[in-house]
Amino acid sequence: QVKALLELKDLANAKLESGDAEEAAEQYTVALLRLKEVAEEVQAAESQTLKALLLANRAQAHLKLQHWELALADCEACLKI
C-alpha cells in the first residue's frame, strides 16, 4: 500500500514536471486520499512529512493552473502540519 502511494507521488511529480499540472493535481489528491488509508502502516512523523510534501506539490500544480484559492488552501494546510 505504501509503495503504491509513493508511486502515485512519483507519477504526479512527473506530470507536473512535464507541464500537465491538471493531471498532477488530480494525482496528488488521489495520493492524499491513499495516505489516509495507509496511515497506520507508516510512522506518524513520516505520514505528516509526506502529507506536507503532497500538499505543497499540489499547491504548486494549482499555481500553474492559476487556481489561486486552491493553492492558498493547500499552503495553509501544509503550514498547519
Side-chain angles (χ1 to χ4, degrees):
Q1 294 285 16
V2 175
K3 183 179 178 182
L5 170 62
L6 295 175
E7 289 172 357
L8 271 175
K9 178 187 70 71
D10 291 342
L11 173 64
N13 289 346
K15 292 291 184 181
L16 188 59
E17 287 180 23
S18 72
D20 191 353
E22 189 168 339
E23 181 64 25
E26 290 178 21
Q27 292 301 318
Y28 288 127
T29 299
V30 171
L32 284 160
L33 293 171
R34 180 77 50 90
L35 180 60
K36 289 179 183 178
E37 296 172 7
V38 300
E40 296 170 358
E41 296 179 33
V42 291
Q43 293 180 0
E46 290 176 357
S47 176
Q48 293 294 73
T49 299
L50 185 53
K51 182 178 180 181
L53 179 65
L54 292 169
L55 286 167
N57 289 357
R58 187 172 69 177
Q60 183 179 2
H62 286 312
L63 286 173
K64 289 186 179 222
L65 294 167
Q66 298 183 358
H67 296 163
W68 312 123
E69 292 195 15
L70 293 173
L72 178 61
D74 280 350
C75 288
E76 288 175 339
C78 186
L79 290 171
K80 289 180 182 177
I81 294 175

